[in-house]
Amino acid sequence: MTTMQGTVIAAHGRHYLVQAGQEKWQCVTRGKKSDVAVGDHVDVKQTSDNQGVIEAIVERETLLYRSDQYRSKLLAANVDQLFIVVATEPSFTDDLVSRALVAAEAAGVQAHLILNKIDVSENLARTRERVALYARLGYPVHEVSAQEQPDQTRDTLTPLLQGHRTILIGQSGMGKSSIINLIVPDADIAVREISAALDTGKHTTTFTRLYQIDEKTAIIDSPGFQEFGLYHLTEGMLERAFPEFRPRLGGCKFYNCHHVSEPDCAIRLAVETGDIHPMRHALYLQLLHESSQKLY
C-alpha cells in the first residue's frame, strides 16, 4: 500500500478527513492517539480504497488550542491568522474574546476582530465601545454585516484572508456560518460531504473543517463554544501574551514579580494609572490561578 502526504481538512473524535491532491482519505490514527489537528500536514499509509492510517505529523509552524484542568482541545495547526467573530446581537463575552487573544499571542498567530451585524443599530454604539478596548491594544477591528451587506462583507474580508491560513472562532450566533458561506462557494455542499465521510450525520456543525481557497489561502471554521481554557500556559507565557504588559516587564522592583500583590510592581502601577485596563489585569490573575491548577 502507498504512503502519501496530505492535509487534515476535518476532524471528529479520532476520525479525520485528509486531502491529498484531488483525493480525500478517511483516516484514523495508530492506537488511541488523538493529537492530530485540522490543518496538520500528515503522512498517510493507505489501508484500502480512500482509507488510511496517519503515520506521522509533519512539524507544525503553529498550534492553537485550549485546555482545562484535565486535557487539551486542539483547534487548528499551521494557521497564521485568527478571526474572532463578535456581533451586536447576541451579546458576546469579553472573557472569551480576551482568552482567544491571549491564545493567539502565545501561539504566534495574528488576531483580528470581526464585528458582525452592524445593521443592528440600537446596539452598535455600545458594541463599538466594547471592541474599542481591543483596538487600543493594537488588534484590528473590521465592521461587517454578512446578511444585510454581503458584497461589502466579502470585499472587506477577502483581501485580509488572501495568502493566509485563517481560523474563525466565536460564540454561537455571531454569524460565522454566514461569513463562511460568503467567502467559500458551495460551503454547504462541502459540509455535507465531510459529514458523510466522517459519519457524523448530514447536519452536524460540531466539527472543525478547513476550506482551501487557493494554493496559499485557507479558511478554517470551528464550532461555536462558550469557554476558552488556557491551563497549559505558564506564568512566563501568560505575562508575554498581554501586549500592554510587555513594555513594562522587567520594570518591577522584584525580578520574579508575579504582578499579584508585590510592592512597586510596574504592571499594577499601570493598572492604577489607567494605562492597563483593570479587566485585563483581572483576566491575567485568573489565568495565573488556572495555570496552577493543571492536573496533566
Side-chain angles (χ1 to χ4, degrees):
M1 291 291 185
T2 57
T3 300
M4 71 211 77
Q5 192 172 105
T7 300
V8 178
I9 63 169
H12 183 78
R14 286 198 287 268
H15 295 268
Y16 304 92
L17 197 61
V18 176
Q19 180 124 25
Q22 297 301 310
E23 296 187 13
K24 294 184 179 72
W25 298 78
Q26 298 174 38
C27 297
V28 294
T29 53
R30 291 227 177 267
K32 293 186 176 180
K33 288 189 357 181
S34 58
D35 56 350
V36 179
V38 170
D40 265 328
H41 305 304
V42 292
D43 294 329
V44 175
K45 187 173 184 178
Q46 184 181 2
T47 54
S48 62
D49 285 350
N50 297 328
Q51 293 192 328
V53 173
I54 294 173
E55 296 281 358
I57 301 170
V58 177
E59 186 177 356
R60 295 160 169 150
E61 294 176 19
T62 59
L63 178 64
L64 200 59
Y65 63 107
R66 53 198 180 105
S67 59
D68 58 20
Q69 276 178 286
Y70 308 101
R71 64 185 69 85
S72 297
K73 174 75 172 174
L74 305 185
L75 291 174
N78 300 314
V79 296
D80 62 356
Q81 197 165 241
L82 167 68
F83 280 7
I84 304 169
V85 182
V86 297
T88 50
E89 63 171 19
S91 183
F92 63 91
T93 71
D94 284 297
D95 184 67
L96 188 135
V97 172
S98 295
R99 286 166 176 266
L101 292 173
V102 169
E105 292 282 350
V109 173
Q110 172 66 43
H112 295 246
L113 271 74
I114 311 299
L115 172 54
N116 191 23
K117 306 185 189 179
I118 59 169
D119 54 286
V120 184
S121 54
E122 62 267 29
N123 298 337
L124 186 54
R126 173 70 183 120
T127 310
R128 279 177 171 158
E129 194 178 299
R130 292 178 65 195
V131 298
L133 164 63
Y134 308 108
R136 286 194 294 273
L137 294 172
Y139 297 108
V141 177
H142 312 277
E143 296 190 355
V144 299
S145 180
Q147 290 200 326
E148 297 299 317
Q149 300 167 1
D151 292 339
Q152 293 97 316
T153 300
R154 195 184 297 107
D155 291 345
T156 297
L157 299 183
T158 299
L160 300 173
L161 295 165
Q162 194 61 42
H164 293 283
R165 295 168 68 87
T166 306
I167 179 171
L168 267 66
I169 69 164
Q171 296 160 249
S172 300
M174 296 293 140
K176 279 194 299 95
S177 297
S178 298
I179 290 171
I180 289 284
N181 287 329
L182 282 179
I183 302 296
V184 183
D186 301 324
D188 288 340
I189 295 171
V191 168
R192 285 197 293 274
E193 286 177 355
I194 293 169
S195 297
L198 291 176
D199 222 7
T200 56
K202 291 226 171 23
H203 304 293
T204 183
T205 55
T206 58
F207 58 89
T208 302
R209 62 259 189 194
L210 179 150
Y211 304 98
Q212 195 73 40
I213 308 296
D214 59 40
E215 192 178 335
K216 295 183 177 180
T217 307
I219 187 167
I220 297 176
D221 189 19
S222 64
F225 49 81
Q226 308 300 323
E227 295 181 356
F228 204 124
L230 296 169
Y231 284 73
H232 57 283
L233 297 183
T234 65
E235 182 174 343
M237 294 165 73
L238 280 172
E239 63 179 10
R240 290 190 298 274
F242 286 75
E244 67 271 47
F245 285 21
R246 288 198 290 260
R248 298 172 171 88
L249 296 177
C252 302
K253 180 178 180 180
F254 299 106
Y255 78 94
N256 60 344
C257 184
H258 304 294
H259 322 305
V260 178
S261 57
E262 297 85 347
D264 298 326
C265 167
I267 302 299
R268 291 176 56 237
L269 178 62
V271 175
E272 291 169 13
T273 59
D275 293 323
I276 291 178
H277 198 289
M279 183 179 77
R280 297 277 292 172
H281 184 243
L283 174 67
Y284 167 78
L285 296 179
Q286 175 61 31
L287 294 177
L288 197 62
H289 171 72
E290 290 176 12
S291 176
S292 70
Q293 306 297 307
K294 186 173 71 170
L295 299 177
Y296 60 92

